[in-house]
Amino acid sequence: MLRVISRLGVGVILPAIAAFGLIGCEEEDSFLPPAPPPDISQPEVPTTPEVATPTPTPSPSPTPAAQPTTQLAAPENPDPQVNAQVQETLDTMANKGYPKANQGVWMQSGDTLLANYQGTTLLPAASLTKIATTLAVLDTFGPKHQFVTQIGYTGTLENGVINGDLVIIGDRDPFFVWEDAIALGNALMNMGIKQVTGDLVIVGSFYMNYEENPKTSGALLRQGLNVQLWPDRAYLQYETLPDNTPQPELSTGGLIKTTTTTPANVKPLVRYSSLPVAELLKKMNQYSNNPMAEMFAGMVGSAGTVAQKAATLSGVPPAEIKLINGSGLGEENQMSPRAAIGLFLGIQKLLQPHQMTIGDVVAIVGEDEGILTSRPLPKFAVLKSGSLYAVSTLGGALPTAQNGVVWFAMFNGGSYYEDFREEQEAFLNKLVRQWGVVSRLPEELKPSLPPTSGSRIEKVN
């Protein structure tokens, strides 16, 4: 099943995606293809002769930004007034039939604990699991790492015809989609290449439209390179591209073959770089994209490795993070509300030497499009949500005039997820009215890097 998402301006793609009914995930949390009614308990070019999985090298660190580092607060002695407000909210929910045993809250401002209700108790995390994945991926690759897909050929190139194979060497780019295939096709045609007489050879881990099967991805790439083969979804995404973007017509008539080693005598053509890791993670979190999260977790090693890394980097006891995957699909993915805050703070700390912030990898309400767009949440909050059938979670940074940035996590369970959202939204908006609305995004949450623009295709010869 194809999964489609645009890498262009999100405001442009929302109507197109909605028109095809492509919103899904752990319910609404991700742009995915149409799915069956939710059973949400399971919801939601070569220069060397061999292909090796590149060893990720974190980006070199520039001069650290002069920002204070917030630590996890001690679990004792929360602020009496704020903690009472939390208890009042939980009592209201209990009166509606939502057991307190299924709820958890952790709030702190700086290193000061504001509220703690079951803050160290394991509860289903839903897509807050993606924050653990985000932290582990940033530690593994660094925020500026790019995955490079290499394209080459065997045989000869004469008069626009490759008399041999077109070779694609994958590097696990988790966000190579229709627009990339179109751009690649146009780049090859601009080099004068119009036809491949041999096979389309996929080497290593090449993913397209979130498909990890290399033969499936190869079939999608063949379609994307040739307008004569485009399915409706390719035309849909083409419409989001700039006016007058050419429609490639590169013919590849042979078979689609897969291999783990690079064929001999491959001649390089182009290198296609992914978006930087930080941008990829932000897209994953904006749209709560499950396939991307699973790919990233696989790159780190496994769900267990993600949990271990996340606990170590956040300073949270390992017993407070238990994961079965990188996306959060399934109530077996559990963490404590305190652990969720530790993850956010761990990301902030890891990004600080790169002069970046949590806003570089997590959606900002009122600034970024995505799954939070339709929710009445406080502007400039930097948030990640999660939804399973009977679980709703929400966490991140809430900027206030009086208490500065308040880090919070709310874990709610025991009823249909939409039942909890109104309570979450009312509670946060009440706090912002009480503590003062901010007129602009605080520096400590402001993203430092503009989105990547321009071509990421490098001609090799």
Side-chain angles (χ1 to χ4, degrees):
M1 184 176 292
L2 302 184
R3 301 181 175 97
V4 182
I5 186 169
S6 172
R7 67 166 70 257
L8 297 181
V10 183
V12 175
I13 67 169
L14 276 169
I17 291 178
F20 268 68
L22 299 182
I23 299 180
C25 176
E26 351 165 345
E27 247 66 286
E28 81 308 339
D29 261 11
S30 169
F31 283 169
L32 294 176
D39 168 9
I40 318 260
S41 59
Q42 333 185 351
E44 296 205 78
V45 177
T47 55
T48 58
E50 297 292 328
V51 172
T53 300
T55 300
T57 302
S59 308
S61 301
T63 304
Q67 295 181 4
T69 301
T70 301
Q71 306 292 331
L72 268 178
E76 300 84 13
N77 303 316
D79 180 275
Q81 183 178 358
V82 180
N83 212 49
Q85 288 181 283
V86 168
Q87 290 290 344
E88 180 181 344
T89 298
L90 294 175
D91 288 340
T92 299
M93 295 172 67
N95 290 335
K96 294 180 179 181
Y98 312 144
K100 281 189 174 183
N102 295 339
Q103 322 307 325
V105 177
W106 183 278
M107 300 178 65
Q108 65 177 79
S109 175
D111 302 336
T112 301
L113 184 65
L114 299 178
N116 174 8
Y117 183 81
Q118 295 201 125
T120 60
T121 300
L122 280 173
L123 295 167
S127 275
L128 281 184
T129 297
K130 293 182 177 73
I131 298 301
T133 301
T134 297
L135 179 55
V137 169
L138 287 170
D139 180 66
T140 301
F141 294 99
K144 299 178 183 178
H145 177 79
Q146 292 174 279
F147 303 98
V148 180
T149 302
Q150 301 177 81
I151 296 89
Y153 69 99
T154 62
T156 63
L157 173 55
E158 298 178 297
N159 301 318
V161 177
I162 292 176
N163 293 297
D165 299 332
L166 185 65
V167 181
I168 311 296
I169 301 178
D171 186 26
R172 305 174 297 175
D173 181 352
F175 198 49
F176 190 101
V177 291
W178 287 118
E179 296 94 314
D180 300 283
I182 293 168
L184 177 58
N186 284 329
L188 294 174
M189 293 199 72
N190 288 339
M191 296 170 66
I193 301 171
K194 301 176 182 178
Q195 181 182 0
V196 178
T197 63
D199 299 322
L200 180 59
V201 178
I202 307 298
V203 183
S205 299
F206 172 71
Y207 311 143
M208 181 167 165
N209 290 348
Y210 318 120
E211 294 288 351
E212 295 185 73
N213 182 294
K215 184 159 283 190
T216 302
S217 292
L220 291 168
L221 177 62
R222 168 178 278 174
Q223 290 180 312
L225 295 175
N226 188 348
V227 65
Q228 300 299 326
L229 304 176
W230 283 4
D232 289 343
R233 289 186 179 100
Y235 278 106
L236 174 69
Q237 295 310 124
Y238 174 78
E239 292 300 320
T240 69
L241 297 174
D243 292 342
N244 302 317
T245 296
Q247 297 179 341
E249 197 167 348
L250 177 59
S251 173
T252 55
L255 301 174
I256 297 170
K257 295 183 176 179
T258 62
T259 180
T260 57
T261 57
T262 307
N265 302 318
V266 174
K267 304 171 185 69
L269 288 170
V270 298
R271 293 161 51 89
Y272 198 111
S273 297
S274 74
L275 295 171
V277 160
E279 286 189 56
L280 292 171
L281 290 169
K282 181 147 187 174
K283 289 184 180 297
M284 177 189 79
N285 288 319
Q286 279 178 263
Y287 300 101
S288 208
N289 188 297
N290 291 329
M292 288 182 73
E294 299 294 1
M295 291 179 195
F296 271 130
M299 294 180 202
V300 172
S302 66
T305 306
V306 169
Q308 182 181 30
K309 274 180 168 283
T312 300
L313 293 165
S314 63
V316 171
E320 290 186 33
I321 304 177
K322 302 293 185 183
L323 306 180
I324 62 169
N325 55 46
S327 66
L329 288 176
E331 292 192 17
E332 297 86 350
N333 291 293
Q334 299 186 350
M335 66 179 70
S336 67
R338 173 173 72 170
I341 297 308
L343 297 175
F344 283 110
L345 295 177
I347 292 170
Q348 186 84 330
K349 180 178 179 181
L350 189 151
L351 289 175
Q352 185 175 332
H354 301 272
Q355 297 181 318
M356 300 170 73
T357 76
I358 192 75
D360 283 292
V361 295
V362 177
I364 303 167
V365 175
E367 299 284 308
D368 298 317
E369 296 282 357
I371 59 169
L372 298 177
T373 301
S374 62
R375 295 186 63 177
L377 292 161
K379 188 174 182 180
F380 302 129
V382 184
L383 302 179
K384 181 74 192 79
S385 66
S387 306
L388 299 173
Y389 186 86
V391 175
S392 180
T393 57
L394 187 66
L398 181 70
T400 70
Q402 178 180 317
N403 285 341
V405 174
V406 175
W407 298 89
F408 79 94
M410 300 180 71
F411 285 54
N412 302 122
S415 183
Y416 187 50
Y417 72 96
E418 287 190 348
D419 295 342
F420 297 116
R421 291 187 168 185
E422 184 176 346
E423 300 293 341
Q424 294 169 352
E425 293 152 4
F427 180 67
L428 293 181
N429 283 304
K430 178 181 178 181
L431 290 181
V432 168
R433 289 192 299 271
Q434 178 179 320
W435 293 337
V437 176
V438 297
S439 60
R440 60 183 178 179
L441 193 65
E443 289 297 319
E444 65 187 285
L445 302 179
K446 186 179 295 184
S448 62
L449 298 178
T452 299
S453 60
S455 175
R456 288 175 279 109
I457 301 176
E458 175 190 358
K459 184 178 176 181
V460 178
N461 64 355

